[in-house]
Amino acid sequence: MNNNLAFDFSVNKENNTIDVKREFAVELPLVWDAYTKSEILDQWWAPKPWKARTKTMDFREGGRWHYAMVGPEGEEHWSLVNYKSIQTRKNFTGLDAFADAEGNVNKDMPQSTWEINFSDKGQVTLVEICISYDDLSQLETTLQMGFKEGLSKAMEGLDELLASAVKSK
């Protein structure tokens, strides 16, 4: 594993945004697939010991991903991503929200817009994520829920998954 890969997590409370820059030591197509295919997302999107479990995924503009974060005691926290724009292997945007098992958005919980950009840097892929909130309260609630720590652990899980995918080639 390459320990010199970039990871930057910054919060801008004036713009209600979180910016994440993360490099992965594999070529872009593998990283793109890891973010856009449910069978791969289920293996890394949740921070261990939690697991992600996709109920439905339709990765296309106007499509959605409905999934649960499943805890070690079987507890479930549902989320929904509605895809707005997709440029294959370049970027995609989506509206992210907490939901219930039927896909109904929980409007009492934070909602955000995710823009994810992928850059080919040869043997390394840079993923830049800009998450924006309508107001500071939603951003702060997300941070208080442990978002930074959870995302960091999930990306470590993706590192392991990608490393094993490369070894099995």
Side-chain angles (χ1 to χ4, degrees), residues 20-111:
V20 179
K21 294 180 182 177
R22 180 66 155 77
E23 289 180 334
F24 297 94
V26 295
E27 295 174 354
L28 191 148
L30 281 175
V31 179
W32 175 263
D33 286 351
Y35 275 83
T36 61
K37 294 183 176 180
S38 62
E39 64 274 19
I40 303 173
L41 279 161
D42 284 352
Q43 296 179 56
W44 73 272
W45 187 245
K48 292 179 182 177
W50 289 67
K51 296 184 183 281
R53 186 182 68 227
T54 297
K55 184 171 185 179
T56 61
M57 185 177 200
D58 183 10
F59 186 71
R60 63 175 175 82
E61 293 181 358
R64 66 186 211 169
W65 179 33
H66 184 209
Y67 67 97
M69 295 281 200
V70 182
E73 306 299 322
E75 61 270 43
E76 297 178 345
H77 297 279
W78 290 89
S79 293
L80 188 66
V81 177
N82 287 302
Y83 297 107
K84 294 299 177 188
S85 66
I86 297 171
Q87 290 187 321
T88 302
R89 294 186 176 172
K90 291 183 180 174
N91 61 49
F92 66 87
T93 61
L95 301 177
D96 181 80
F98 291 90
D100 63 19
E102 308 311 314
N104 300 304
V105 171
N106 181 346
K107 295 183 178 177
D108 294 330
M109 297 293 286
Q111 297 179 44

